Amino acid sequence: MDLLIMKTWSRLVSLIPGFRWLSLTEIVEEFGKLMTQQIDLRFEARNLETFQEKFEKMDFIKFPTPLRPFVTRNIMVETFEDGEPLSLYLQEAGSSEIKHRIAAMGMDMLLKMVFVDNFVHADLHPGNILVQGVLEFSPAHSDLTTLVDMCDTLIVNVRPSRCPLRLVLLDAGIVAELQENDLENFRSVFTAVVLGQGEKVAELILHHARANQCVDVQSFKSQMAELVNEARTNTVSLGKLQVATLLSRVFHLLMTHKVKLESNFASIVFAILVLEGLGRSLDPEIDILEAAKPLLVKSAASLI
């Protein structure tokens, strides 16, 4: 019923001039497919196992383990993971050092999911992220390797120590993946944004658009270049650049010039927006574009 209501409203909104270029109907269709998969817990179990494999060498990111054979369509038994909800640290809890480290770990995790693995947890709200190991973390022992060594010497009377400082991701029923061509396009667009190549961003979007009725291509390219350049040069620190704000302005520009993006970008973009928002709440100076630059430049070089 929820999906039916969403589909109906998306079709009605798409009748408003300009709004059909937001691909709302297609986005709801994609969301419906994801939700249909989520009610089959076998999909979530497979997703958790895939994430564990991909993050095996990153000890600051953890996922619960499905306990087979206790996994069916309607029931999944998994390991219990103790920890504090991330939402606690979005308020007053924790030192600035802890918050900065949590934000950095989350950003590294997101970049790996998006640009390395092409397998993105698409439901990364604060309730689905736990923080472990805070009791053992201190600025004097902020190195993760040092924290691992400390685990052997700590004595905890009430419950086991939770080392090292790490994030535990729950509820992996919804994941986002892009087809190879779409992934290369996404990387190319993001790379052009990182490098401040505004006109190239416009060219890539037009080339890969689902549909467009752009009458003044040169104007679209010029406005996109102005938007990207302004976003990157109009602040003292790149850390003050908010990708969420930048993307919202990009979408407004697409509506104005009647350019329609592929709908399967939506889940990836939303995951970036949500996690970037969480990261900035913990560390206002965090910069996803600067952090992504080495991955994107390396990826671009491999294609030449």
PDB file of all heavy atoms in Angstrom, residues 186-215:
ATOM      1  N   PHE A 186      29.430   7.552 -13.322  1.00  0.00           N
ATOM      2  CA  PHE A 186      29.362   8.168 -11.990  1.00  0.00           C
ATOM      3  C   PHE A 186      30.746   8.610 -11.533  1.00  0.00           C
ATOM      4  O   PHE A 186      30.926   9.719 -11.015  1.00  0.00           O
ATOM      5  CB  PHE A 186      28.759   7.168 -11.004  1.00  0.00           C
ATOM      6  CG  PHE A 186      28.488   7.739  -9.638  1.00  0.00           C
ATOM      7  CD1 PHE A 186      27.319   8.439  -9.389  1.00  0.00           C
ATOM      8  CD2 PHE A 186      29.398   7.579  -8.608  1.00  0.00           C
ATOM      9  CE1 PHE A 186      27.065   8.969  -8.135  1.00  0.00           C
ATOM     10  CE2 PHE A 186      29.146   8.098  -7.351  1.00  0.00           C
ATOM     11  CZ  PHE A 186      27.978   8.797  -7.115  1.00  0.00           C
ATOM     12  N   ARG A 187      31.732   7.745 -11.726  1.00  0.00           N
ATOM     13  CA  ARG A 187      33.106   8.085 -11.347  1.00  0.00           C
ATOM     14  C   ARG A 187      33.613   9.278 -12.155  1.00  0.00           C
ATOM     15  O   ARG A 187      34.276  10.172 -11.607  1.00  0.00           O
ATOM     16  CB  ARG A 187      34.023   6.888 -11.584  1.00  0.00           C
ATOM     17  CG  ARG A 187      33.901   5.787 -10.527  1.00  0.00           C
ATOM     18  CD  ARG A 187      34.741   4.590 -10.928  1.00  0.00           C
ATOM     19  NE  ARG A 187      34.742   3.552  -9.901  1.00  0.00           N
ATOM     20  CZ  ARG A 187      35.114   2.301 -10.123  1.00  0.00           C
ATOM     21  NH1 ARG A 187      35.518   1.925 -11.338  1.00  0.00           N
ATOM     22  NH2 ARG A 187      35.095   1.416  -9.141  1.00  0.00           N
ATOM     23  N   SER A 188      33.293   9.281 -13.441  1.00  0.00           N
ATOM     24  CA  SER A 188      33.762  10.369 -14.300  1.00  0.00           C
ATOM     25  C   SER A 188      33.170  11.707 -13.880  1.00  0.00           C
ATOM     26  O   SER A 188      33.877  12.719 -13.815  1.00  0.00           O
ATOM     27  CB  SER A 188      33.391  10.078 -15.764  1.00  0.00           C
ATOM     28  OG  SER A 188      34.017   8.904 -16.223  1.00  0.00           O
ATOM     29  N   VAL A 189      31.869  11.710 -13.580  1.00  0.00           N
ATOM     30  CA  VAL A 189      31.214  12.944 -13.144  1.00  0.00           C
ATOM     31  C   VAL A 189      31.803  13.422 -11.822  1.00  0.00           C
ATOM     32  O   VAL A 189      32.130  14.601 -11.652  1.00  0.00           O
ATOM     33  CB  VAL A 189      29.686  12.742 -13.018  1.00  0.00           C
ATOM     34  CG1 VAL A 189      29.033  13.951 -12.356  1.00  0.00           C
ATOM     35  CG2 VAL A 189      29.061  12.495 -14.384  1.00  0.00           C
ATOM     36  N   PHE A 190      31.961  12.502 -10.867  1.00  0.00           N
ATOM     37  CA  PHE A 190      32.501  12.862  -9.558  1.00  0.00           C
ATOM     38  C   PHE A 190      33.943  13.345  -9.691  1.00  0.00           C
ATOM     39  O   PHE A 190      34.353  14.291  -9.014  1.00  0.00           O
ATOM     40  CB  PHE A 190      32.427  11.652  -8.620  1.00  0.00           C
ATOM     41  CG  PHE A 190      32.088  12.006  -7.201  1.00  0.00           C
ATOM     42  CD1 PHE A 190      30.769  12.079  -6.787  1.00  0.00           C
ATOM     43  CD2 PHE A 190      33.090  12.270  -6.282  1.00  0.00           C
ATOM     44  CE1 PHE A 190      30.452  12.412  -5.472  1.00  0.00           C
ATOM     45  CE2 PHE A 190      32.784  12.596  -4.969  1.00  0.00           C
ATOM     46  CZ  PHE A 190      31.472  12.671  -4.571  1.00  0.00           C
ATOM     47  N   THR A 191      34.716  12.702 -10.563  1.00  0.00           N
ATOM     48  CA  THR A 191      36.104  13.118 -10.781  1.00  0.00           C
ATOM     49  C   THR A 191      36.163  14.530 -11.337  1.00  0.00           C
ATOM     50  O   THR A 191      36.978  15.354 -10.905  1.00  0.00           O
ATOM     51  CB  THR A 191      36.814  12.157 -11.744  1.00  0.00           C
ATOM     52  OG1 THR A 191      36.782  10.836 -11.220  1.00  0.00           O
ATOM     53  CG2 THR A 191      38.264  12.574 -11.962  1.00  0.00           C
ATOM     54  N   ALA A 192      35.292  14.829 -12.298  1.00  0.00           N
ATOM     55  CA  ALA A 192      35.259  16.164 -12.892  1.00  0.00           C
ATOM     56  C   ALA A 192      34.894  17.213 -11.850  1.00  0.00           C
ATOM     57  O   ALA A 192      35.441  18.323 -11.854  1.00  0.00           O
ATOM     58  CB  ALA A 192      34.266  16.194 -14.055  1.00  0.00           C
ATOM     59  N   VAL A 193      33.983  16.876 -10.929  1.00  0.00           N
ATOM     60  CA  VAL A 193      33.625  17.797  -9.846  1.00  0.00           C
ATOM     61  C   VAL A 193      34.839  18.032  -8.948  1.00  0.00           C
ATOM     62  O   VAL A 193      35.167  19.166  -8.588  1.00  0.00           O
ATOM     63  CB  VAL A 193      32.436  17.255  -9.027  1.00  0.00           C
ATOM     64  CG1 VAL A 193      32.220  18.112  -7.785  1.00  0.00           C
ATOM     65  CG2 VAL A 193      31.166  17.217  -9.868  1.00  0.00           C
ATOM     66  N   VAL A 194      35.523  16.940  -8.574  1.00  0.00           N
ATOM     67  CA  VAL A 194      36.694  17.033  -7.695  1.00  0.00           C
ATOM     68  C   VAL A 194      37.781  17.908  -8.321  1.00  0.00           C
ATOM     69  O   VAL A 194      38.423  18.709  -7.638  1.00  0.00           O
ATOM     70  CB  VAL A 194      37.252  15.629  -7.394  1.00  0.00           C
ATOM     71  CG1 VAL A 194      38.631  15.711  -6.759  1.00  0.00           C
ATOM     72  CG2 VAL A 194      36.310  14.872  -6.468  1.00  0.00           C
ATOM     73  N   LEU A 195      37.967  17.771  -9.627  1.00  0.00           N
ATOM     74  CA  LEU A 195      39.023  18.516 -10.317  1.00  0.00           C
ATOM     75  C   LEU A 195      38.574  19.906 -10.757  1.00  0.00           C
ATOM     76  O   LEU A 195      39.341  20.642 -11.376  1.00  0.00           O
ATOM     77  CB  LEU A 195      39.510  17.716 -11.535  1.00  0.00           C
ATOM     78  CG  LEU A 195      40.123  16.348 -11.222  1.00  0.00           C
ATOM     79  CD1 LEU A 195      40.534  15.630 -12.499  1.00  0.00           C
ATOM     80  CD2 LEU A 195      41.324  16.490 -10.284  1.00  0.00           C
ATOM     81  N   GLY A 196      37.316  20.257 -10.464  1.00  0.00           N
ATOM     82  CA  GLY A 196      36.812  21.578 -10.808  1.00  0.00           C
ATOM     83  C   GLY A 196      36.541  21.771 -12.290  1.00  0.00           C
ATOM     84  O   GLY A 196      36.550  22.897 -12.778  1.00  0.00           O
ATOM     85  N   GLN A 197      36.271  20.685 -13.013  1.00  0.00           N
ATOM     86  CA  GLN A 197      36.032  20.758 -14.464  1.00  0.00           C
ATOM     87  C   GLN A 197      34.525  20.824 -14.735  1.00  0.00           C
ATOM     88  O   GLN A 197      33.889  19.847 -15.117  1.00  0.00           O
ATOM     89  CB  GLN A 197      36.664  19.552 -15.147  1.00  0.00           C
ATOM     90  CG  GLN A 197      38.169  19.462 -14.929  1.00  0.00           C
ATOM     91  CD  GLN A 197      38.757  18.147 -15.421  1.00  0.00           C
ATOM     92  OE1 GLN A 197      38.054  17.163 -15.612  1.00  0.00           O
ATOM     93  NE2 GLN A 197      40.065  18.128 -15.610  1.00  0.00           N
ATOM     94  N   GLY A 198      33.958  22.015 -14.526  1.00  0.00           N
ATOM     95  CA  GLY A 198      32.513  22.193 -14.590  1.00  0.00           C
ATOM     96  C   GLY A 198      31.903  21.875 -15.944  1.00  0.00           C
ATOM     97  O   GLY A 198      30.859  21.217 -16.034  1.00  0.00           O
ATOM     98  N   GLU A 199      32.542  22.328 -17.023  1.00  0.00           N
ATOM     99  CA  GLU A 199      31.985  22.077 -18.352  1.00  0.00           C
ATOM    100  C   GLU A 199      32.011  20.596 -18.699  1.00  0.00           C
ATOM    101  O   GLU A 199      31.113  20.076 -19.353  1.00  0.00           O
ATOM    102  CB  GLU A 199      32.732  22.896 -19.415  1.00  0.00           C
ATOM    103  CG  GLU A 199      32.458  24.383 -19.332  1.00  0.00           C
ATOM    104  CD  GLU A 199      32.677  25.078 -20.670  1.00  0.00           C
ATOM    105  OE1 GLU A 199      32.992  24.382 -21.665  1.00  0.00           O
ATOM    106  OE2 GLU A 199      32.526  26.317 -20.719  1.00  0.00           O
ATOM    107  N   LYS A 200      33.052  19.903 -18.234  1.00  0.00           N
ATOM    108  CA  LYS A 200      33.131  18.461 -18.475  1.00  0.00           C
ATOM    109  C   LYS A 200      32.020  17.740 -17.721  1.00  0.00           C
ATOM    110  O   LYS A 200      31.463  16.748 -18.210  1.00  0.00           O
ATOM    111  CB  LYS A 200      34.494  17.919 -18.051  1.00  0.00           C
ATOM    112  CG  LYS A 200      34.686  16.444 -18.420  1.00  0.00           C
ATOM    113  CD  LYS A 200      36.094  15.973 -18.137  1.00  0.00           C
ATOM    114  CE  LYS A 200      36.278  14.514 -18.556  1.00  0.00           C
ATOM    115  NZ  LYS A 200      37.656  14.037 -18.301  1.00  0.00           N
ATOM    116  N   VAL A 201      31.684  18.213 -16.526  1.00  0.00           N
ATOM    117  CA  VAL A 201      30.561  17.647 -15.771  1.00  0.00           C
ATOM    118  C   VAL A 201      29.295  17.731 -16.614  1.00  0.00           C
ATOM    119  O   VAL A 201      28.543  16.756 -16.755  1.00  0.00           O
ATOM    120  CB  VAL A 201      30.350  18.388 -14.433  1.00  0.00           C
ATOM    121  CG1 VAL A 201      29.067  17.928 -13.756  1.00  0.00           C
ATOM    122  CG2 VAL A 201      31.536  18.156 -13.507  1.00  0.00           C
ATOM    123  N   ALA A 202      29.048  18.899 -17.196  1.00  0.00           N
ATOM    124  CA  ALA A 202      27.852  19.104 -18.026  1.00  0.00           C
ATOM    125  C   ALA A 202      27.871  18.188 -19.247  1.00  0.00           C
ATOM    126  O   ALA A 202      26.843  17.597 -19.613  1.00  0.00           O
ATOM    127  CB  ALA A 202      27.762  20.564 -18.455  1.00  0.00           C
ATOM    128  N   GLU A 203      29.027  18.079 -19.911  1.00  0.00           N
ATOM    129  CA  GLU A 203      29.131  17.224 -21.103  1.00  0.00           C
ATOM    130  C   GLU A 203      28.839  15.771 -20.764  1.00  0.00           C
ATOM    131  O   GLU A 203      28.127  15.079 -21.508  1.00  0.00           O
ATOM    132  CB  GLU A 203      30.533  17.356 -21.708  1.00  0.00           C
ATOM    133  CG  GLU A 203      30.820  18.721 -22.319  1.00  0.00           C
ATOM    134  CD  GLU A 203      32.279  18.878 -22.711  1.00  0.00           C
ATOM    135  OE1 GLU A 203      33.048  17.911 -22.505  1.00  0.00           O
ATOM    136  OE2 GLU A 203      32.643  19.956 -23.208  1.00  0.00           O
ATOM    137  N   LEU A 204      29.382  15.288 -19.659  1.00  0.00           N
ATOM    138  CA  LEU A 204      29.157  13.897 -19.251  1.00  0.00           C
ATOM    139  C   LEU A 204      27.695  13.652 -18.923  1.00  0.00           C
ATOM    140  O   LEU A 204      27.122  12.626 -19.297  1.00  0.00           O
ATOM    141  CB  LEU A 204      30.028  13.558 -18.041  1.00  0.00           C
ATOM    142  CG  LEU A 204      31.528  13.418 -18.302  1.00  0.00           C
ATOM    143  CD1 LEU A 204      32.302  13.428 -16.988  1.00  0.00           C
ATOM    144  CD2 LEU A 204      31.817  12.137 -19.073  1.00  0.00           C
ATOM    145  N   ILE A 205      27.069  14.595 -18.224  1.00  0.00           N
ATOM    146  CA  ILE A 205      25.664  14.441 -17.859  1.00  0.00           C
ATOM    147  C   ILE A 205      24.790  14.408 -19.106  1.00  0.00           C
ATOM    148  O   ILE A 205      23.892  13.566 -19.235  1.00  0.00           O
ATOM    149  CB  ILE A 205      25.223  15.582 -16.917  1.00  0.00           C
ATOM    150  CG1 ILE A 205      25.854  15.374 -15.538  1.00  0.00           C
ATOM    151  CG2 ILE A 205      23.705  15.644 -16.806  1.00  0.00           C
ATOM    152  CD1 ILE A 205      25.573  16.498 -14.551  1.00  0.00           C
ATOM    153  N   LEU A 206      25.048  15.290 -20.052  1.00  0.00           N
ATOM    154  CA  LEU A 206      24.259  15.318 -21.291  1.00  0.00           C
ATOM    155  C   LEU A 206      24.452  14.038 -22.092  1.00  0.00           C
ATOM    156  O   LEU A 206      23.502  13.483 -22.650  1.00  0.00           O
ATOM    157  CB  LEU A 206      24.656  16.531 -22.141  1.00  0.00           C
ATOM    158  CG  LEU A 206      24.171  17.904 -21.653  1.00  0.00           C
ATOM    159  CD1 LEU A 206      24.764  19.003 -22.520  1.00  0.00           C
ATOM    160  CD2 LEU A 206      22.646  17.976 -21.681  1.00  0.00           C
ATOM    161  N   HIS A 207      25.690  13.556 -22.138  1.00  0.00           N
ATOM    162  CA  HIS A 207      25.996  12.366 -22.932  1.00  0.00           C
ATOM    163  C   HIS A 207      25.305  11.123 -22.388  1.00  0.00           C
ATOM    164  O   HIS A 207      24.868  10.248 -23.137  1.00  0.00           O
ATOM    165  CB  HIS A 207      27.510  12.139 -22.966  1.00  0.00           C
ATOM    166  CG  HIS A 207      27.921  10.945 -23.773  1.00  0.00           C
ATOM    167  ND1 HIS A 207      27.804  10.896 -25.154  1.00  0.00           N
ATOM    168  CD2 HIS A 207      28.448   9.746 -23.399  1.00  0.00           C
ATOM    169  CE1 HIS A 207      28.236   9.724 -25.595  1.00  0.00           C
ATOM    170  NE2 HIS A 207      28.628   9.006 -24.543  1.00  0.00           N
ATOM    171  N   HIS A 208      25.200  11.031 -21.057  1.00  0.00           N
ATOM    172  CA  HIS A 208      24.653   9.820 -20.438  1.00  0.00           C
ATOM    173  C   HIS A 208      23.225   9.985 -19.928  1.00  0.00           C
ATOM    174  O   HIS A 208      22.702   9.090 -19.275  1.00  0.00           O
ATOM    175  CB  HIS A 208      25.549   9.381 -19.269  1.00  0.00           C
ATOM    176  CG  HIS A 208      26.905   8.931 -19.702  1.00  0.00           C
ATOM    177  ND1 HIS A 208      27.156   7.678 -20.222  1.00  0.00           N
ATOM    178  CD2 HIS A 208      28.100   9.584 -19.698  1.00  0.00           C
ATOM    179  CE1 HIS A 208      28.449   7.563 -20.500  1.00  0.00           C
ATOM    180  NE2 HIS A 208      29.040   8.705 -20.193  1.00  0.00           N
ATOM    181  N   ALA A 209      22.611  11.129 -20.204  1.00  0.00           N
ATOM    182  CA  ALA A 209      21.265  11.385 -19.691  1.00  0.00           C
ATOM    183  C   ALA A 209      20.254  10.409 -20.285  1.00  0.00           C
ATOM    184  O   ALA A 209      20.358  10.001 -21.450  1.00  0.00           O
ATOM    185  CB  ALA A 209      20.846  12.813 -20.008  1.00  0.00           C
ATOM    186  N   ARG A 210      19.261  10.016 -19.456  1.00  0.00           N
ATOM    187  CA  ARG A 210      18.170   9.164 -19.937  1.00  0.00           C
ATOM    188  C   ARG A 210      17.410   9.876 -21.050  1.00  0.00           C
ATOM    189  O   ARG A 210      16.979   9.259 -22.030  1.00  0.00           O
ATOM    190  CB  ARG A 210      17.231   8.834 -18.775  1.00  0.00           C
ATOM    191  CG  ARG A 210      16.032   7.993 -19.160  1.00  0.00           C
ATOM    192  CD  ARG A 210      15.100   7.831 -17.979  1.00  0.00           C
ATOM    193  NE  ARG A 210      15.694   7.009 -16.938  1.00  0.00           N
ATOM    194  CZ  ARG A 210      15.564   5.685 -16.890  1.00  0.00           C
ATOM    195  NH1 ARG A 210      14.873   5.053 -17.820  1.00  0.00           N
ATOM    196  NH2 ARG A 210      16.131   4.990 -15.937  1.00  0.00           N
ATOM    197  N   ALA A 211      17.222  11.173 -20.880  1.00  0.00           N
ATOM    198  CA  ALA A 211      16.553  11.992 -21.886  1.00  0.00           C
ATOM    199  C   ALA A 211      16.895  13.442 -21.585  1.00  0.00           C
ATOM    200  O   ALA A 211      17.207  13.802 -20.453  1.00  0.00           O
ATOM    201  CB  ALA A 211      15.037  11.786 -21.846  1.00  0.00           C
ATOM    202  N   ASN A 212      16.847  14.268 -22.620  1.00  0.00           N
ATOM    203  CA  ASN A 212      17.029  15.699 -22.365  1.00  0.00           C
ATOM    204  C   ASN A 212      16.398  16.508 -23.493  1.00  0.00           C
ATOM    205  O   ASN A 212      16.333  16.062 -24.642  1.00  0.00           O
ATOM    206  CB  ASN A 212      18.505  16.046 -22.184  1.00  0.00           C
ATOM    207  CG  ASN A 212      19.260  16.217 -23.499  1.00  0.00           C
ATOM    208  OD1 ASN A 212      19.200  17.266 -24.114  1.00  0.00           O
ATOM    209  ND2 ASN A 212      19.975  15.178 -23.911  1.00  0.00           N
ATOM    210  N   GLN A 213      15.915  17.677 -23.119  1.00  0.00           N
ATOM    211  CA  GLN A 213      15.391  18.637 -24.085  1.00  0.00           C
ATOM    212  C   GLN A 213      16.114  19.967 -23.889  1.00  0.00           C
ATOM    213  O   GLN A 213      15.510  21.038 -23.916  1.00  0.00           O
ATOM    214  CB  GLN A 213      13.883  18.803 -23.912  1.00  0.00           C
ATOM    215  CG  GLN A 213      13.081  17.555 -24.258  1.00  0.00           C
ATOM    216  CD  GLN A 213      11.581  17.744 -24.072  1.00  0.00           C
ATOM    217  OE1 GLN A 213      11.106  18.853 -23.820  1.00  0.00           O
ATOM    218  NE2 GLN A 213      10.831  16.667 -24.202  1.00  0.00           N
ATOM    219  N   CYS A 214      17.409  19.854 -23.675  1.00  0.00           N
ATOM    220  CA  CYS A 214      18.217  21.044 -23.427  1.00  0.00           C
ATOM    221  C   CYS A 214      18.320  21.857 -24.717  1.00  0.00           C
ATOM    222  O   CYS A 214      18.875  21.390 -25.716  1.00  0.00           O
ATOM    223  CB  CYS A 214      19.606  20.644 -22.939  1.00  0.00           C
ATOM    224  SG  CYS A 214      20.650  22.034 -22.492  1.00  0.00           S
ATOM    225  N   VAL A 215      17.784  23.052 -24.686  1.00  0.00           N
ATOM    226  CA  VAL A 215      17.768  23.910 -25.875  1.00  0.00           C
ATOM    227  C   VAL A 215      19.082  24.675 -26.012  1.00  0.00           C
ATOM    228  O   VAL A 215      19.631  24.787 -27.112  1.00  0.00           O
ATOM    229  CB  VAL A 215      16.575  24.899 -25.803  1.00  0.00           C
ATOM    230  CG1 VAL A 215      16.603  25.845 -27.005  1.00  0.00           C
ATOM    231  CG2 VAL A 215      15.258  24.142 -25.737  1.00  0.00           C
TER     232      VAL A 215
END
